[in-house]
Amino acid sequence: MTTKAGRHPTTRRTTVTERAPLPPKSRRHLPAVAVLPFLDLRRENGDAPLAEGIAEELIQALNQVEGLRTISRTTSFLYGGAGLPLAEAGRRLHADAVLGGSLLEGEGRLVLKTELVDVASGRELWSETRAFERKDLFAALEDTARGAASALSLSASFRPRRPVALEAYGYYLRGRHYYYRFNRRGMGFAAEMFRRALDLDPGYAPAWAGLANAAAYAYIYIERTEPQRELAESCSRKALELDPDLAEAHASRGVALSAAGRTEEAEEAFETALRLDPNLYEAAYFYARHCLAAGKPERAVEYFEWAAALRPEDFQAILLVAQVYHSLGVEDEAEAARRKGLTLVEERLERAPDDVRARYLGANALVALGEREKGLAWARMARSMDPDDPMLLYNLGCIHALAGDPGEALDCLERAVAAGLTQRNWFLHDGDLDAIRSHPRFQRLMDGLAD
């Protein structure tokens, strides 16, 4: 096993604290189902976020079915509205079955038409048309997920859900859509959408969790102010008060506590989230990021791999675990993860060339793998799309540090700090910055950062 000079090799699997839940068995080889965004055919109220929300609810429900893996929304939603037959979309998504359909409205009732298709044969496995009152949307979706699971010879049982007004749910979905862009502009829109959802339904715990996540992101990466920290704290606590058994609420609590530097409490919250729902990607992914920022790279490896097992088609966790392996000196593992992640990034950019995060994470992998000029070209392209975003600037600093360009790396890092990314722990524990740590400008930068 190849290691960097002066560092000790580590095994692929590491030991975590006794209270941490055990990772799930790898889901990579389970039968996979893709759920496409439903077509919203309502004449007056056609709404893409609601159509995506229906699919997302079905993804989350089917992800609870033992013996089944769902393709992540990030990947499957690229084929929504593409006009492809379901089986062809499923082939492109490397799925075994694909679920799709449409939403209509007539005489005050919603009508959901659903079809499940076997990808290999193109044969319809199951279909139904279900009419219901607007208030019964979530119950109807649970029944739909149960029917799809039964058609796949699997059984399903789901945790009861609190009803929510359709309009509030629509704003919540818009908030999630913007949140997962992971940039300053998107985060501002996300917070506004979550607030609108709560204006309509103050008791909707997922929207409180979403607002907490947006505030915590802003505090860590954009605007390190007490109002943002307090907002993350109060909203995450409110989500838990409303629904103590909601895994997403515990995960948002973990994010808020991590932002506040309350390390042990954050870990307890993330672990509770994963006990409640071991298939919750966000809990594993953000727990891994917390461990990395807290200077616990071995545990970061464990949870990034957990997240990658839950979403094998997602490039983020696999590329970030590659960076952690590099910082630990485990270069064989780092290279393998980077090559796998880069393949996923290229597939993503083929369908969504404007994905800035995919572009700069891919640039990092290219430079680390020795494709310096191509990686720097990708980095320039990412910067042209969103030149002032602090998260982008920070990652550009990492890329240029890996590329052996300390001046440009430090310029980018200084701009990231000026734009609001001022959490010292990220700079302290990111192995991509090792090459510039002794530089006087880096040391001055560190002296000015908050703990």
Side-chain angles (χ1 to χ4, degrees):
M1 183 177 289
T2 306
T3 63
K4 290 192 280 191
R7 295 208 171 146
H8 298 288
T10 182
T11 59
R12 183 170 180 82
R13 293 293 175 189
T14 56
T15 302
V16 297
T17 60
E18 290 184 1
R19 73 175 183 232
L22 293 174
K25 293 180 180 179
S26 174
R27 298 162 62 84
R28 298 175 195 272
H29 303 299
L30 293 177
V33 61
V35 183
L36 301 187
F38 278 48
L39 297 176
D40 191 343
L41 303 179
R42 296 176 297 159
R43 290 184 180 178
E44 302 296 329
N45 301 306
D47 186 355
L50 178 59
E52 292 184 358
I54 288 172
E56 185 164 341
E57 288 294 323
L58 290 171
I59 288 172
Q60 291 180 4
L62 290 171
N63 207 39
Q64 299 176 49
V65 176
E66 188 71 26
L68 185 66
R69 176 171 65 85
T70 57
I71 303 295
S72 78
R73 68 181 303 280
T74 306
T75 303
S76 62
F77 281 20
L78 291 172
Y79 291 93
L84 296 172
L86 290 180
E88 177 59 26
R91 276 188 286 273
R92 297 189 185 188
L93 290 164
H94 307 292
D96 298 288
V98 61
L99 186 70
S102 61
L103 178 69
L104 301 95
E105 189 166 14
E107 300 180 357
R109 290 165 65 84
L110 296 174
V111 179
L112 190 68
K113 294 186 175 182
T114 313
E115 182 182 15
L116 180 70
V117 171
D118 176 72
V119 171
S121 66
R123 179 174 58 88
E124 181 183 275
L125 297 173
W126 172 80
S127 66
E128 73 166 10
T129 299
R130 182 182 298 273
F132 50 89
E133 303 292 334
R134 293 166 65 89
K135 64 181 178 60
D136 296 326
L137 172 65
F138 296 108
L141 292 179
E142 282 190 5
D143 287 341
T144 296
R146 193 172 287 108
S150 178
L152 295 168
S153 301
L154 299 167
S155 60
S157 61
F158 306 113
R159 174 179 175 270
R161 295 223 16 195
R162 172 189 176 276
V164 60
L166 203 57
E167 292 77 10
Y169 182 60
Y171 281 121
Y172 167 73
L173 293 172
R174 290 182 179 89
R176 284 176 58 86
H177 173 77
Y178 287 119
Y179 175 80
Y180 283 107
R181 294 183 180 182
F182 291 119
N183 60 32
R184 177 168 53 189
R185 187 180 300 110
M187 212 55 61
F189 288 139
E192 177 61 24
M193 293 299 101
F194 292 135
R195 286 190 177 95
R196 291 190 184 185
L198 292 169
D199 286 343
L200 292 169
D201 189 346
Y204 189 38
W208 285 107
L211 186 55
N213 288 338
Y217 181 99
Y219 180 73
I220 297 171
Y221 305 116
I222 302 172
E223 182 187 7
R224 197 174 180 85
T225 63
E226 273 302 293
Q228 290 288 6
R229 188 199 64 76
E230 291 171 359
L231 183 62
E233 157 71 21
S234 62
C235 291
S236 63
R237 189 171 59 249
K238 181 68 173 178
L240 279 179
E241 290 172 356
L242 289 168
D243 195 343
D245 295 325
L246 182 66
E248 290 88 341
H250 288 276
S252 79
R253 185 67 177 158
V255 171
L257 292 167
S258 178
R262 295 159 63 179
T263 301
E264 292 186 2
E265 293 174 82
E267 291 173 4
E268 290 175 1
F270 284 125
E271 289 162 5
T272 300
L274 288 168
R275 285 195 190 95
L276 289 168
D277 186 357
N279 297 327
L280 183 60
Y281 169 87
E282 290 80 0
Y285 176 74
F286 287 114
Y287 193 3
R289 292 183 66 91
H290 162 82
C291 291
L292 182 57
K296 300 179 179 181
E298 290 86 359
R299 292 189 68 184
V301 165
E302 198 75 37
Y303 289 101
F304 275 134
E305 287 194 342
W306 186 326
L310 292 174
R311 291 190 183 174
E313 70 283 354
D314 184 54
F315 59 84
Q316 294 182 89
I318 193 69
L319 285 178
L320 291 174
V321 81
Q323 294 179 21
V324 184
Y325 275 130
H326 170 71
S327 72
L328 291 169
V330 191
E331 297 298 352
D332 290 348
E333 298 282 13
E335 180 178 349
R338 279 182 170 128
R339 292 196 183 282
K340 182 171 185 178
L342 187 58
T343 297
L344 295 172
V345 164
E346 289 170 340
E347 292 175 357
R348 168 69 178 172
L349 291 175
E350 184 178 343
R351 299 184 298 268
D354 61 342
D355 189 325
V356 177
R357 185 160 174 80
R359 185 73 64 179
Y360 66 66
L361 288 180
N364 184 296
L366 285 166
V367 171
L369 290 169
E371 297 186 50
R372 183 178 186 275
E373 295 309 313
K374 182 177 179 180
L376 292 178
W378 279 28
R380 288 191 295 271
M381 190 179 300
R383 188 168 190 171
S384 71
M385 296 177 189
D386 198 359
D388 300 319
D389 183 72
M391 176 70 93
L392 169 64
L393 289 166
Y394 174 84
N395 279 275
L396 291 176
C398 294
I399 292 165
H400 285 288
L402 288 172
D405 188 354
E408 185 63 26
L410 288 159
D411 286 347
C412 290
L413 293 177
E414 288 167 356
R415 292 183 186 214
V417 170
L421 201 160
T422 59
Q423 191 192 51
R424 194 170 188 269
N425 283 342
W426 283 104
F427 292 82
L428 186 63
H429 298 297
D430 195 328
D432 286 350
L433 302 177
D434 286 349
I436 60 172
R437 291 194 185 283
S438 61
H439 198 289
R441 282 175 65 187
F442 186 84
Q443 293 174 356
R444 287 196 296 272
L445 191 64
M446 290 293 290
D447 289 342
L449 291 175
D451 289 327

